[in-house]
Amino acid sequence: MTSFFKRTLLACAVAGVSACGGSNTTSNTSSVEAAFTDRNQNGVMDDYENPALDVTSRAKNLISLLSLEQKAHLLTGTGFQLNNVGGSEKVPGAAGSTFAIPELGIPAMVLADGPAGLRISPTRDNDTASYFATAFPIATALASTWNTALVTQVGDAMGEEVKEYGVDLFLAPGMNIHANPLAGRNFEYYSEDPLVSGLMAASIVNGVEAHGVGTTIKHFVANNAETSRMWLDAHINEQAYREIYLRGFEIAIEASQPWAIMTSYNKVNGVYTSQDEVLLETVLRDEFGYEGLVMTDWFAGDSAPAQMQAGNDLIMPGMPDQRQAIIDAVNNGTLLETTLDCNLQRIVETLLKSPSYNDYAYSNQPDLDAHAQVARQAAAEGVVLLKNTNHALPIQSDTKIAAFGNTSYDFIAGGTGSGDVNEAYTVSLVDGLNNANVPVFEPLKEAYTAFMAAEAAKRPPKKHFFELQSPLPEFSVPEALLSDAVEASDVGLITIGRNAGEFQDRKLDADFNLTDAELSMIAQVSAAYHKAGKPVVAVLNTGGVVEVASWREHVDAIVLPWQGGQEAGNALVDVLTGKVNPSGRLATTFPLAYSDNPTATVFPGKPTSEETVKDPYIGLFVGKHMQFDYVDGIYVGYRYYDTFNVPVAYEFGYGLSYTDFSISKVTVQPSENPAEFTIKAAVSNKGKLPGKEVVQVYVTAPAGNLPKASKSLVAFNKTASLQPDSTEMLTFSVTAKQLASFSEQQRAWVVEAGDYTFHVGHSSQNIAQQVTVNIPESIVVEKVLATLTPPAPVAEISPQ
């Protein structure tokens, strides 16, 4: 690390302002035809004001005009207001902003949260207008669509709201790996698989940034637990670090090159990510080719000068002591000003292309109606049908419904904390049924409504915005009312709700596992309906995985809509009634029991000190110094369950449809490049209803010298809506990097010689056809520059 840091400083020092800070040249207005704004009112056109010049030259010039104090301000945000949950005067409720420099005509950039939609305040002082944003499906639901084109449409809708509400940088998408089902922010992240995570994140980035605003992929890297997140040290061996946790970010950068990346709170292998120059300079910029700016998460890290040295360009939300620390470090010679100029170069280049700098006349009137329809389509396509015995679904339009479970009447649109959205409404399941003219048993609805209102009135007010309140106790339906419901309805619908958010991880009891009250409700309702010969459908309105194996035999169908955003109820009813044939597939595994997860005994880490620590700024971050050993290595999610032959409730990639699909005519063709292949497969609708199918391609690599999972996802695709008896030919491209494993000894990604079997199917365990190719000689696909090892090797599990 030290040698590379010296090399970076030396490069900046030798290059001087010509490389990182630019020069103080100016151009007379008469020599340039393009109109310009005289931002600093000096009567001449400085290079930064010249729209005909490239952004790199303009940024260098602007940096050369800055004092050290101005530089320190631009390198840090303007602070944090807890009551308004942000730091922007321009856009109330935004997460923060950069400093303006009025004397140079430089405006502030506004940064606002995601990732399920733009989070700003819906109301403003002395203003009767509303500023609602669209709550889109959570990331896990979007990943369940397996439809990158649709997710790009979601990003496109998000991008319009970001731009039209005056925001420059959208603090989304989140794309950490679902390493453990209890992680509190899994709902903000896509998948347990880096390929799915990377391609979904890239789709959002490309959709949003088409509007000339920026995205911020986060949290870089290994932000896989909320407990003591500011003091958590993730220890990961290098193969797992590169193949699982860094790989998704690498894929997203290659496919989208986002404007910004946010570093995580945690340390990895002993160093805070925002202060790890090897991670940020060697890996992120040199190996991955990342070109944008890097910012901290809010209040992350413990040294502003170290963050500057590491290449973490922007410190958010920014505090006075951090600015002073940067100035002091430059003045005492421990931090070179040319290092600041390198960081500023990336910030200023971003600023110069931002809507705020270019005086975009934002309307505060995005097309929310159109975006609601995009949200509804995405939510419906992300619904996963887990069980459907005896064709319990779809229901007919004249079917009478009785809805059980508090969440049937108070649907959860998305998680809490910075991933929350201030939407105008949330359509509940019962609302969606009413909108579709599906009769709902009113006496039961009235009983639930009255009970929930009374219980909500007992609840104390939230202490602060980020607090995750305990759910209301589940209503116990009187036997007489249950009997009336069975008699008056054709189907019993039971909704189980779960929420999660920042600052705390989920619990095993009464969260991952259902409560006694929920289990009792499922048993009693199912027994009553089945006695009458009527089906029961369970709905899982959750942000993450829950236990299903102990109770699923009681119900006839299980539907997983996740948290589908503001249109969730309408989207779910579209699927329940067959208006939309379910095509969602799991992007994360449902284990039989939490104890089956290989990290169950170590998550979320072990304290390394009994001292309780608190963040020095707002006091909401409380915890202990902890270490989390990634003992599962590369065997994360399905890679573990399939390799170690551990049975699961529902495997990765699983999902049912109202029709039947077959996969045939699988072919594999090599390309001119070694270890790169084109795979084709015919997908046919053999059923009676139109629908879409997700086809997944996994590879089994030869045993060789490197640890490998029994199979790994290398490609996926989704059909258009296929009519009965129709066929679509899908094409998949597999690169050598996708086939490669990381060799710590060779310091490279290597495709080892031997047979590679491609499994083409409906899920990781439901394979339709397989084809084997031989790669006669080992191929070094890519050498790496950095060494990423923990202080001591992590004792990993092994299938041998």
Side-chain angles (χ1 to χ4, degrees):
M1 180 181 295
T2 303
S3 62
F4 179 79
F5 173 54
K6 290 179 178 177
R7 195 165 65 248
T8 303
L9 287 182
L10 180 62
C12 282
V14 171
V17 293
S18 63
C20 295
S23 60
N24 192 18
T25 58
T26 59
S27 303
N28 190 283
T29 55
S30 61
S31 66
V32 180
E33 295 181 359
F36 84 103
T37 300
D38 188 7
R39 292 180 175 272
N40 58 6
Q41 301 296 306
N42 67 350
V44 295
M45 182 167 61
D46 293 270
D47 283 355
Y48 82 91
E49 299 168 327
N50 185 350
L53 292 179
D54 62 273
V55 69
T56 301
S57 299
R58 295 171 67 195
K60 288 179 181 178
N61 173 242
L62 177 57
I63 293 167
S64 73
L65 302 176
L66 300 175
S67 67
L68 177 58
E69 288 73 17
Q70 288 171 326
K71 290 179 180 180
H73 276 78
L74 267 185
L75 291 163
T76 58
T78 59
F80 190 78
Q81 297 176 349
L82 183 60
N83 290 337
N84 291 329
V85 198
S88 170
E89 295 181 2
K90 177 182 174 183
V91 185
S97 65
T98 61
F99 272 99
I101 305 179
E103 55 269 36
L104 293 176
I106 303 303
M109 284 193 296
V110 179
L111 291 67
D113 274 315
L118 181 67
R119 186 170 68 80
I120 59 175
S121 176
T123 58
R124 299 178 183 178
D125 293 341
N126 303 314
D127 188 344
T128 59
S130 60
Y131 300 87
F132 293 108
T134 304
F136 293 92
I138 61 171
T140 307
L142 293 179
S144 298
T145 69
W146 295 69
N147 187 337
T148 55
L150 177 58
V151 175
T152 301
Q153 292 180 39
V154 171
D156 178 72
M158 289 176 172
E160 199 220 348
E161 294 186 23
V162 170
K163 189 171 187 177
E164 293 307 322
Y165 275 135
V167 174
D168 300 285
L169 268 177
F170 185 41
L171 303 176
M175 53 174 302
N176 292 104
I177 294 296
H178 292 179
N180 182 284
L182 298 188
R185 297 181 81 173
N186 275 353
F187 72 95
E188 295 189 43
Y189 307 144
Y190 295 105
S191 175
E192 65 192 30
D193 181 82
L195 178 65
V196 175
S197 180
L199 293 180
M200 291 297 163
S203 298
I204 290 289
V205 170
N206 289 329
V208 171
E209 293 194 351
H211 290 270
V213 292
T215 56
T216 311
I217 62 175
K218 62 185 187 183
H219 304 89
F220 190 73
V221 60
N223 190 168
N224 301 118
E226 286 298 290
T227 303
S228 297
R229 63 184 183 181
M230 295 188 77
W231 304 278
L232 182 64
D233 189 358
H235 284 211
I236 316 173
N237 290 338
E238 188 169 12
Q239 184 182 4
Y241 196 5
R242 288 187 176 274
E243 289 188 14
I244 304 297
Y245 300 99
L246 285 167
R247 183 68 179 124
F249 286 95
E250 183 180 17
I251 290 168
I253 290 165
E254 181 180 357
S256 66
Q257 197 60 247
W259 284 19
I261 288 177
M262 182 186 293
T263 48
S264 56
Y265 284 111
N266 53 282
K267 297 177 181 179
V268 177
N269 294 338
V271 184
Y272 280 115
T273 59
S274 63
Q275 296 166 200
D276 189 341
E277 61 198 336
V278 172
L279 177 65
L280 301 185
E281 293 289 358
T282 312
V283 175
L284 183 60
R285 293 191 169 105
D286 296 341
E287 292 182 5
F288 294 179
Y290 177 62
E291 300 171 358
L293 73 87
V294 175
M295 73 174 74
T296 66
D297 206 335
W298 269 227
F299 305 109
D302 62 3
S303 171
Q307 289 166 333
M308 291 295 101
Q309 291 171 346
N312 192 113
D313 310 306
L314 178 62
I315 297 174
M316 293 300 295
M319 302 300 283
D321 65 320
Q322 294 171 320
R323 288 186 284 279
Q324 191 59 51
I326 292 170
I327 293 171
D328 290 345
V330 172
N331 287 335
N332 66 28
T334 58
L335 179 64
L336 294 181
E337 191 167 353
T338 49
T339 298
L340 302 188
D341 293 346
C342 286
N343 297 337
L344 284 164
Q345 181 73 26
R346 293 179 283 261
I347 295 174
V348 174
E349 286 186 11
T350 302
L351 188 152
L352 291 175
K353 61 186 179 182
S354 68
S356 288
Y357 181 85
N358 292 287
D359 301 318
Y360 178 71
Y362 58 96
S363 67
N364 276 324
Q365 294 181 333
D367 193 346
L368 298 180
D369 289 340
H371 299 168
Q373 294 308 305
V374 174
R376 180 172 179 168
Q377 179 185 356
E381 196 154 324
V383 172
V384 184
L385 181 61
L386 297 176
K387 179 179 181 179
N388 193 22
T389 305
N390 298 323
H391 302 289
L393 294 174
I395 62 174
Q396 303 302 310
S397 59
D398 59 350
T399 300
K400 302 181 186 67
I401 298 294
F404 299 85
N406 295 347
T407 316
S408 291
Y409 303 91
D410 188 16
F411 235 42
I412 303 168
T416 66
S418 62
D420 194 10
V421 180
N422 292 312
E423 68 271 29
Y425 61 86
T426 297
V427 179
S428 72
L429 170 58
V430 170
D431 293 335
L433 292 167
N434 288 332
N435 293 339
N437 297 315
V438 177
V440 177
F441 183 54
E442 282 295 325
L444 186 61
K445 175 182 177 182
E446 292 170 0
Y448 266 100
T449 303
F451 169 80
M452 292 168 64
E455 290 298 322
K458 302 175 186 176
R459 175 186 275 170
K462 293 177 67 171
K463 299 181 182 69
H464 51 77
F465 166 79
F466 293 102
E467 181 186 1
L468 176 61
Q469 293 180 307
S470 298
L472 299 177
E474 189 62 55
F475 177 51
S476 179
V477 180
E479 287 189 16
L481 183 57
L482 174 57
S483 296
D484 291 344
V486 172
E487 184 176 352
S489 62
D490 303 306
V491 176
L493 272 178
I494 302 173
T495 303
I496 302 297
R498 289 290 185 273
N499 212 350
E502 287 190 85
F503 294 98
Q504 62 185 38
D505 291 307
R506 297 174 60 201
K507 305 299 182 185
L508 176 60
D509 294 330
D511 191 346
F512 179 86
N513 293 329
L514 270 58
T515 66
D516 290 341
E518 289 167 334
L519 293 172
S520 176
M521 172 177 61
I522 291 171
Q524 291 175 357
V525 171
S526 298
Y529 272 84
H530 290 161
K531 184 177 180 180
K534 298 177 179 181
V536 175
V537 177
V539 172
L540 300 178
N541 178 205
T542 69
V545 174
V546 296
E547 190 273 332
V548 296
S550 67
W551 56 267
R552 61 182 171 181
E553 295 307 315
H554 289 295
V555 299
D556 303 278
I558 303 175
V559 186
L560 174 65
W562 299 108
Q563 294 167 345
Q566 67 186 52
E567 286 288 327
N570 285 333
L572 174 58
V573 172
D574 287 342
V575 172
L576 295 178
T577 59
K579 180 180 179 181
V580 172
N581 194 339
S583 62
R585 304 293 182 260
L586 292 179
T588 195
T589 302
F590 272 57
L592 284 172
Y594 175 70
S595 59
D596 290 335
N597 184 280
T599 63
T601 59
V602 297
F603 180 86
K606 305 296 183 183
T608 57
S609 169
E610 291 305 313
E611 176 191 5
T612 297
V613 285
K614 182 180 294 188
D615 78 88
Y617 296 113
I618 58 176
L620 291 182
F621 301 83
V622 180
K624 294 182 179 181
H625 292 283
M626 298 181 68
Q627 180 176 317
F628 181 14
D629 289 345
Y630 283 52
V631 297
D632 48 346
I634 63 169
Y635 303 106
V636 177
Y638 70 92
R639 287 172 167 85
Y640 168 72
Y641 296 108
D642 290 358
T643 303
F644 287 71
N645 296 312
V646 177
V648 298
Y650 299 110
E651 73 270 17
F652 181 82
Y654 174 87
L656 302 176
S657 171
Y658 295 150
T659 190
D660 296 307
F661 295 97
S662 68
I663 298 172
S664 61
K665 301 179 182 177
V666 173
T667 61
V668 179
Q669 295 292 328
S671 70
E672 295 180 358
N673 298 321
E676 295 194 356
F677 300 91
T678 297
I679 298 173
K680 293 185 177 181
V683 185
S684 301
N685 185 347
K686 298 296 187 180
K688 299 180 180 179
L689 296 171
K692 300 178 181 180
E693 175 65 320
V694 174
V695 178
Q696 303 151 44
V697 180
Y698 300 84
V699 69
T700 296
N705 298 316
L706 301 173
K708 300 180 182 72
S710 63
K711 62 175 84 77
S712 300
L713 185 74
V714 292
F716 62 89
N717 207 337
K718 191 169 191 175
T719 68
S721 182
L722 295 179
Q723 295 297 319
D725 298 321
S726 63
T727 299
E728 180 178 351
M729 185 67 70
L730 294 181
T731 301
F732 311 84
S733 297
V734 179
T735 66
K737 184 70 173 282
Q738 290 292 71
L739 297 182
S741 297
F742 181 74
S743 169
E744 296 183 29
Q745 182 177 7
Q746 293 179 260
R747 312 304 311 146
W749 290 82
V750 178
V751 176
E752 294 191 291
D755 289 340
Y756 286 76
T757 299
F758 294 107
H759 309 268
V760 183
H762 309 278
S763 74
S764 71
Q765 297 183 7
N766 184 0
I767 302 302
Q769 289 195 348
Q770 54 191 41
V771 179
T772 299
V773 298
N774 180 266
I775 297 176
E777 297 181 352
S778 293
I779 300 168
V780 175
V781 178
E782 184 180 292
K783 287 280 190 178
V784 301
L785 303 173
T787 299
L788 306 172
T789 54
V794 175
E796 296 179 343
I797 60 174
S798 172
Q800 282 78 33

